[in-house]
Amino acid sequence: MSDGAGTGPERESERAAGGETEPEPEPKPAPEPKPEPKSAPEPEPEPEPAPEPEPTQKADPLTDAFVDEWAVSTIVRTIVPLLIVLSALQMGSGAVLESFEEQLLEQPSLLVLVPVTIGTAGNLGSIMCARMSTQLHLGTLEFSLDNRNVRANVGAVFGLAATVFVLLGFASWGIGRVLGGTLGLVPLLTITIVSGALLAVWVVVVSSVSVYASYRFGYDPDDTTIPVVTNVCDITGVLILFAVVRVVLGP
Amino acid sequence: MRGYDTAFDVYRQALPVVLVSLVAGLFAGTVLGTEAMRDGIESVPGLLLLLPAFLATRGGVYGSLGARLSSGLHQGLISPTFEWSGRLRNAIVASFVNGMVVSVFIAVLAYAVLFALGRSGSLLELVLILTIAGFLSAVTMLGVLLTVMFKGYRRGLDPDNVIGPVVTTVGDVFGVVFLLVAVAITEAVL
């Protein structure tokens, strides 16, 4: 956080689109510096048996090929296989939840942690990826810790994680109390802060690796990384959370 | 002029979205932690097992619908008003089909995992719960997403920036609530 606060407002308006940090890809920048752009609007990049023909942004909106992209069967055939793979993977974190069933039922605070951890992991991952892919398109990103953008991204992810997980510690304690749990504030804060910190490190690693890999393999990271990273972070978020729960509360 | 954002700039811009999602997650978590939901979890084997998959596929189905509609709006392929025809209808029907197919698949998969783990569970019960929950969230998500995107677009909001937060917050909150409703309905029926 070097010369931060002062120049805020002007910067924000300048960067209307490019600096947004929403968990969705920005309005697509003109595909420039990537080797062989391959853009598919569907949010999953797994290799697909029947990939759509390239729905390039520049395509004439009236051609038949383009209208077919909007056919019900095309959309269903593209999305369903991806979601089936995804839900099979999510069974992994479901199995972890299931194995903690007794503790979860006894301590509602722990149940409160689950959706927030999943959501925050995905959010931080998509912020990281959206920013890195935009910076890659703009040519201002290098994969090095000396890069100002890299440091700003990483710093922001840590700051956001710290904010969310400290608040989460207090909130889950309060809500758990109301719902009849007995877990104390100290163990809950320990759980949320430790798992938040681990999650932030993990988000940074996964996002950087996937943006870099996507770039190296010639895919536009705008299209490929967010779905992969949010799902990976969702699933591993639960694993990290319950690994920490086990250490803090004992088996 | 700096050509980059500092960590603090990024933090400040992202904080509102992250905090909204925190509140939504806390709400979803509170619903999960209620007596009624805990009873449901206890009496329906497999409910915790399918919870992450159920929540995640909401994002997959309606996030991709949002991304598609957003590109369509930007390209002028669809207009920002609700009409039951052409591309818009296709996109809506397809997301509905996607949502229902995947919900039923998750129920079957959860049953298979329970079976593989040597636990007992009721396939009918799980399928019924997820069909109801999938249907209720499809109707809600489609309604909210289309309303927010079209209204926002007509007021000059870039739908790309709206979909993510809308899908995750609405999806989480309603996903868990509808799962609870579906458990209650199923227990009353069976």
Side-chain angles (χ1 to χ4, degrees):
Chain A
M1 244 181 265
S2 46
D3 52 348
T7 44
E10 312 95 82
R11 293 244 11 98
E12 247 173 295
S13 50
E14 274 162 37
R15 308 201 67 206
E20 290 298 344
T21 42
E22 319 288 36
E24 268 300 313
E26 268 92 306
K28 304 264 167 346
E32 338 167 277
K34 39 191 165 150
E36 209 204 356
K38 188 172 169 189
S39 72
E42 277 67 32
E44 275 287 35
E46 264 100 323
E48 260 308 294
E52 299 194 353
E54 263 205 83
T56 327
Q57 301 282 316
K58 291 156 283 177
D60 177 355
L62 299 174
T63 58
D64 288 346
F66 205 94
V67 174
D68 277 348
E69 298 281 321
W70 289 75
V72 174
S73 59
T74 313
I75 304 178
V76 170
R77 272 199 314 253
T78 317
I79 305 272
V80 164
L82 299 171
L83 289 179
I84 282 180
V85 172
L86 166 62
S87 41
L89 292 175
Q90 294 280 357
M91 288 289 151
S93 47
V96 173
L97 287 184
E98 189 83 14
S99 71
F100 280 84
E101 181 169 338
E102 268 177 41
Q103 252 173 330
L104 284 170
L105 292 179
E106 212 171 289
Q107 297 297 352
S109 297
L110 297 178
L111 274 173
V112 174
L113 299 181
V114 173
V116 179
T117 307
I118 296 180
T120 307
N123 268 337
L124 296 181
S126 65
I127 290 170
M128 193 70 193
C129 289
R131 295 192 56 79
M132 288 180 72
S133 29
T134 300
Q135 289 158 2
L136 193 68
H137 285 302
L138 294 174
T140 55
L141 184 76
E142 311 157 67
F143 293 94
S144 150
L145 270 182
D146 295 333
N147 184 275
R148 283 186 296 219
N149 278 322
V150 169
R151 279 196 265 175
N153 296 343
V154 172
V157 165
F158 276 87
L160 291 166
T163 312
V164 168
F165 283 94
V166 169
L167 291 175
L168 176 61
F170 286 103
S172 63
W173 173 74
I175 295 171
R177 275 295 151 106
V178 172
L179 294 173
T182 52
L183 213 51
L185 182 59
V186 174
L188 274 170
L189 270 178
T190 314
I191 290 171
T192 55
I193 292 173
V194 173
S195 50
L198 292 173
L199 206 61
V201 174
W202 180 237
V203 162
V204 167
V205 171
V206 175
S207 314
S208 314
V209 168
S210 60
V211 170
Y212 184 70
S214 171
Y215 167 74
R216 286 304 295 263
F217 289 112
Y219 293 96
D220 184 345
D222 269 335
D223 295 329
T224 54
T225 52
I226 289 190
V228 174
V229 170
T230 48
N231 286 307
V232 167
C233 291
D234 277 3
I235 296 168
T236 47
V238 173
L239 302 183
I240 291 175
L241 174 65
F242 281 95
V244 176
V245 167
R246 169 140 295 173
V247 171
V248 174
L249 298 183
Chain B
M1 183 181 89
R2 292 196 333 272
Y4 61 95
D5 285 344
T6 63
F8 184 72
D9 296 332
V10 181
Y11 175 88
R12 210 185 32 189
Q13 289 169 34
L15 193 61
V17 173
V18 171
L19 287 182
V20 167
S21 127
L22 170 66
V23 172
L26 284 175
F27 182 83
T30 307
V31 175
L32 270 182
T34 54
E35 201 70 41
M37 193 68 185
R38 281 186 283 157
D39 288 348
I41 293 171
E42 213 165 1
S43 62
V44 181
L47 206 57
L48 275 180
L49 184 60
L50 55 77
L51 181 75
F54 178 72
L55 293 183
T57 49
R58 300 309 83 194
V61 172
Y62 303 104
S64 71
L65 172 69
R68 169 176 291 274
L69 293 181
S70 164
S71 300
L73 284 171
H74 280 302
Q75 290 168 300
L77 287 173
I78 57 171
S79 52
T81 48
F82 184 80
E83 44 176 317
W84 189 241
S85 64
R87 299 192 181 95
L88 182 60
R89 183 185 58 191
N90 286 356
I92 293 173
V93 170
S95 327
F96 185 78
V97 172
N98 288 338
M100 296 310 289
V101 168
V102 173
S103 296
V104 173
F105 174 78
I106 290 172
V108 175
L109 191 62
Y111 177 75
V113 172
L114 279 181
F115 187 78
L117 294 175
R119 309 252 318 262
S120 61
S122 157
L123 179 61
L124 177 65
E125 190 179 37
L126 291 177
V127 170
L128 208 54
I129 290 174
L130 278 203
T131 309
I132 297 170
F135 178 79
L136 292 175
S137 39
V139 172
T140 311
M141 293 293 286
L142 288 171
V144 172
L145 193 61
L146 290 174
T147 310
V148 172
M149 281 188 72
F150 288 168
K151 284 226 157 100
Y153 187 80
R154 291 202 295 260
R155 287 180 196 165
L157 269 179
D158 184 342
D160 273 334
N161 294 334
V162 178
I163 311 161
V166 169
V167 169
T168 48
T169 50
V170 178
D172 275 5
V173 170
F174 284 103
V176 177
V177 171
F178 288 146
L179 210 52
L180 178 59
V181 171
V183 170
I185 295 177
T186 307
E187 288 197 330
V189 170
L190 290 181

